[in-house]
Amino acid sequence: MTMGASLLVASIALAGCGDRGETEGGTGNTGGTAKVAKIGVIAPLSGDLSALGKGIQHSVELAVKQANDSKAIPGWTLEVEAVDDEGKADVGKNGATKLAGDDQVVGVVGNLNSSVSQQTQPVFAAANITQISPANTGPALTRGADGNARPYKTFFRTCTTDIAQGGFAAKFLIDQGIKTVATIHDKKTYGQGLVKHFSDAYKAAGGTIVAAETINPDESNYSPVVSKVAPSKPGAVFYGGEYPQGGPLSKQMKAGGLNVPLMGGDGIFDPQYIALAGSTSANDLATSVGEPTDASEAGKKFLADYEAASYAEPSAAYGGYSYDAANAIINALKISLKDAADAKSARQATVTEVGKVSFDGVTGKVSFDEFGDTLVKVITGYKVEGGKWATVKSENVS
């Protein structure tokens, strides 16, 4: 990626208070003197992936504002501390260290990228801070390299994994009669993992991988890889990566005579993909975790509340999952903060209580298994039609 903006740390006092340990009545709707606990956000807030990161940030802000307005935790005011990880592992680790060093931070929503969470997980675990990702789909984050050992008990996620997403994508293409595919990934943890799980499922379903290539995400000319793939005459190209590279790759495929659909996962499911790919992206395909946000009454209310709050950026692909992640932490804080002297002393109890939550959220029932994974494993397939992502079908793959 080409993101080069400097680290941005934005402290957002939603209730109008500062950085003190306590806030006075009238600032957080809690009445009297209220203690402060912070929910951190760590996501790309600048650079190519900021459209997704800003949606994560604002969705958490909305959940926290609603909790403060309803006095959800008597005696406490919640604040949001947002840190820009730029979608980069080293920057993310530094951001996690900053959040962990703030005694008022008791839970965190993020990261967007699985490769970044690999670096932030141990930092938050060492500080007993709950981390809930709304977007990490790499299976090893919750199940370890062997698939059976949870690496960090502080890590949870509200989205499902690439095992489910890759399997759905394979069946999605087979069902459309596409039996030959070339794969391309960006060498990142997410892209490699998604292509692996897709390829395993696709071959098991009778499909054939006719070519397997990679790109360098820091480059913008993909014509060499298109030239390598084109002679294999695939029925589609499956791309493991994100929209900043996926959009131009689709455009260059079509310009290079490889006029077949590009399919990717949730990393390309964003309007920016279509903007970058141009008109030749028609019939390109994507999968994303969960159902469309507006498919449920809870999702419609979330979108209406989000719009009413007039945030500068849309909730994007992970808004509902971020809102649910924040509310999972808030539900846990209702218990962990009840008799706590300060936010830091409630960190371990918050981890324990997040593991027990069970409530109806925007994305369905919010609860976690023994690995910290969501129990909801719904995936939706989309196709570019008329310059927009159109829903094709949703399926529970559990």
Side-chain angles (χ1 to χ4, degrees), residues 113-179:
N113 304 81
S114 294
S115 56
V116 182
S117 278
Q118 284 178 319
Q119 296 300 313
T120 62
Q121 279 182 314
V123 177
F124 291 128
N128 282 327
I129 294 177
T130 301
Q131 177 184 9
I132 306 182
S133 173
N136 289 161
T137 52
L141 292 171
T142 49
R143 292 174 177 266
D146 65 1
N148 293 304
R150 185 179 183 183
Y152 301 101
K153 295 188 182 302
T154 49
F155 183 85
F156 303 81
R157 57 178 145 205
T158 49
C159 61
T160 190
T161 72
D162 288 332
I163 296 174
Q165 186 168 211
F168 177 93
K171 185 174 183 294
F172 192 82
L173 285 181
I174 292 289
D175 287 347
Q176 297 195 32
I178 298 175
K179 304 292 182 62

Side-chain angles (χ1 to χ4, degrees), residues 17-357:
C17 55
D19 288 329
R20 297 172 294 133
E22 294 183 345
T23 184
E24 303 247 326
T27 59
N29 297 321
T30 53
T33 300
K35 292 179 283 191
V36 172
K38 295 179 181 177
I39 296 178
V41 172
I42 184 164
L45 306 180
S46 64
D48 293 345
L49 294 172
S50 60
L52 298 175
K54 285 289 187 179
I56 292 172
Q57 176 186 342
H58 297 322
S59 298
V60 174
E61 291 169 356
L62 177 61
V64 168
K65 180 182 185 304
Q66 292 173 341
N68 284 333
D69 288 349
S70 68
K71 303 176 184 177
I73 307 175
W76 290 84
T77 293
L78 302 180
E79 296 181 9
V80 175
E81 184 82 10
V83 174
D84 183 7
D85 67 20
E86 301 180 28
K88 299 176 180 176
D90 56 341
V91 179
K93 185 175 182 179
N94 290 337
T97 301
K98 181 177 181 63
L99 288 172
D102 185 337
D103 289 349
Q104 292 179 318
V105 173
V106 71
V108 171
V109 177
N111 301 89
L112 170 71
N113 304 81
S114 294
S115 56
V116 182
S117 278
Q118 284 178 319
Q119 296 300 313
T120 62
Q121 279 182 314
V123 177
F124 291 128
N128 282 327
I129 294 177
T130 301
Q131 177 184 9
I132 306 182
S133 173
N136 289 161
T137 52
L141 292 171
T142 49
R143 292 174 177 266
D146 65 1
N148 293 304
R150 185 179 183 183
Y152 301 101
K153 295 188 182 302
T154 49
F155 183 85
F156 303 81
R157 57 178 145 205
T158 49
C159 61
T160 190
T161 72
D162 288 332
I163 296 174
Q165 186 168 211
F168 177 93
K171 185 174 183 294
F172 192 82
L173 285 181
I174 292 289
D175 287 347
Q176 297 195 32
I178 298 175
K179 304 292 182 62
T180 59
V181 164
T183 65
I184 300 173
H185 68 71
D186 63 0
K187 304 178 185 176
K188 293 183 180 179
T189 301
Y190 164 71
Q192 290 187 60
L194 181 59
V195 164
K196 177 189 181 302
H197 294 295
F198 165 80
S199 298
D200 291 347
Y202 190 69
K203 289 185 285 189
T208 301
I209 306 296
V210 296
E213 297 290 341
T214 62
I215 63 167
N216 185 342
D218 293 326
E219 297 177 350
S220 58
N221 178 14
Y222 307 126
S223 57
V225 74
V226 171
S227 297
K228 289 182 180 178
V229 166
S232 63
K233 301 185 184 307
V237 169
F238 187 83
Y239 175 64
E242 295 142 342
Y243 64 80
Q245 294 76 35
L249 175 60
S250 173
K251 192 172 190 176
Q252 292 177 36
M253 277 171 46
K254 304 343 175 352
L258 187 55
N259 195 23
V260 297
L262 182 149
M263 184 178 195
D266 55 315
I268 72 165
F269 179 60
D270 189 274
Q272 280 298 310
Y273 171 83
I274 299 172
L276 291 167
S279 59
T280 57
S281 64
N283 297 318
D284 281 356
L285 304 162
T287 57
S288 192
V289 292
E291 291 186 288
T293 306
D294 61 1
S296 67
E297 291 303 315
K300 291 175 183 175
K301 182 179 185 308
F302 161 72
L303 292 173
D305 290 347
Y306 191 99
E307 183 176 1
S310 300
Y311 296 116
E313 295 85 7
S315 59
Y318 303 108
Y321 290 89
S322 305
Y323 182 80
D324 282 349
N327 276 316
I329 294 173
I330 291 167
N331 278 3
L333 293 177
K334 292 176 182 176
I335 298 172
S336 65
L337 289 178
K338 186 176 179 181
D339 299 316
D342 52 54
K344 187 175 183 179
S345 65
R347 286 177 174 177
Q348 181 57 57
T350 304
V351 174
T352 301
E353 295 303 325
V354 163
K356 301 176 183 176
V357 300

Side-chain angles (χ1 to χ4, degrees), residues 366-377:
V366 179
S367 58
F368 305 100
D369 65 15
E370 67 272 28
F371 295 98
D373 280 326
T374 178
L375 296 177
V376 177
K377 303 184 188 307

